[in-house]
Amino acid sequence: MTPLNTFIDHTLLKPTATQEEIKTLCSEALKHQFFSVCVNSCYVPLAKQILENSTVKVCSVVGFPLGAMSTAAKVEEAKNALKNGADEIDMVMNIGFFKSGDFTAVAHDIKAVKQIMPKNTLKVILETCYLNDKEIIKASELAIANGADFIKTSTGFGTGGATIKDVKLMLNSIQNHAVKVKASGGIRDTQTALEYINLGVSRLGTSNGVAIVSGDNNNNKSAY
């Protein structure tokens, strides 16, 4: 079985995150050889500096956490993050446009970001807590059709995080596409992490990566 640590995007996205906390995040990622650290775009240069000569990648969120920024703003934030050393981008889908039924605008939003990063991994956050089953399937299909390399459940800042039911819907939406699923939000212990991996999830977004790989689930940091 693929080692558990290699599924983890070690995450710190709270608004009060300090430079010292980001340094600790990166140190933990290096120690446990997580797949990546996931940070807000302002911290990409710092994370890249610390992780420069390692295998740990840098992931930046874009349009986070609401997804309600203009497409131009998302594109520029992604460009800046990539310029500063980000390897991957996790962008939030425009949920308001989606709930309005303006699927053309949602598609344009995703496609515009992917067009400026054809060789980098783009994960599209659906924020499934705001969507019913039919909407999760439709959002997954839109993201896949417009360049997403991953579809991702949650920001961790909505009303709920990943659920088994929602992840199954997303996995079923992939079918023959070379697209993967990232589960995030509420993954705090080893058992939960393994449940999602056994379903077929390829990446886990969590601030509790150390607890998950060490089995010490008594010191969880947050719901993300």
Side-chain angles (χ1 to χ4, degrees):
M1 180 179 174
T2 305
L4 182 54
N5 59 301
T6 62
F7 286 87
I8 292 175
D9 288 344
H10 196 37
T11 303
L12 180 54
L13 297 168
K14 65 182 183 180
T16 56
T18 65
Q19 294 176 351
E20 286 304 313
E21 288 176 313
I22 296 297
K23 290 176 182 177
T24 298
L25 183 84
C26 292
S27 296
E28 290 172 345
L30 287 168
K31 178 180 178 180
H32 296 281
Q33 286 297 288
F34 293 135
F35 188 91
S36 79
V37 296
C38 187
V39 297
N40 283 297
S41 57
C42 69
Y43 281 130
V44 169
L46 176 60
K48 189 64 175 180
Q49 180 184 357
I50 297 169
L51 300 170
E52 185 73 58
N53 296 313
S54 76
T55 59
V56 181
K57 296 185 182 299
V58 176
C59 173
S60 174
V61 291
V62 162
F64 192 88
L66 302 178
M69 301 73 180
S70 68
T71 296
K74 290 181 180 178
V75 168
E76 287 305 313
E77 185 177 16
K79 282 182 180 178
N80 186 257
L82 294 165
K83 180 182 177 182
N84 287 330
D87 301 291
E88 302 187 340
I89 298 293
D90 286 22
M91 71 168 284
V92 186
M93 180 187 75
N94 192 308
I95 306 155
F97 283 170
F98 182 86
K99 298 292 277 189
S100 300
D102 192 349
F103 301 139
T104 299
V106 175
H108 171 70
D109 196 50
I110 297 168
K111 186 181 292 184
V113 174
K114 184 57 184 177
Q115 283 178 340
I116 59 103
M117 48 178 291
K119 296 182 180 179
N120 295 84
T121 296
L122 175 64
K123 309 189 201 86
V124 176
I125 305 171
L126 309 183
E127 199 69 299
T128 51
C129 62
Y130 298 130
L131 308 177
N132 62 35
D133 291 1
K134 185 177 179 181
E135 288 172 329
I136 289 171
I137 294 168
K138 179 64 177 178
S140 296
E141 291 172 348
L142 275 172
I144 291 166
N146 289 282
D149 300 292
F150 276 77
I151 45 177
K152 176 179 171 182
T153 57
S154 318
T155 63
F157 288 78
T159 57
T163 69
I164 296 294
K165 178 177 70 71
D166 292 349
V167 166
K168 285 182 177 179
L169 289 171
M170 292 164 69
L171 287 165
N172 287 338
S173 299
I174 291 171
Q175 297 182 358
N176 296 323
H177 298 281
V179 177
K180 300 175 182 178
V181 171
K182 175 177 173 179
S184 62
I187 303 170
R188 302 176 204 149
D189 57 73
T190 311
Q191 181 179 347
T192 304
L194 290 173
E195 284 179 5
Y196 284 113
I197 290 169
N198 290 333
L199 277 179
V201 163
S202 299
R203 204 80 65 80
L204 302 170
T206 178
S207 58
N208 295 297
V210 175
I212 287 169
V213 298
S214 67
D216 180 12
N217 299 313
N218 296 317
N219 295 303
N220 295 319
K221 294 183 179 180
S222 74
Y224 189 85

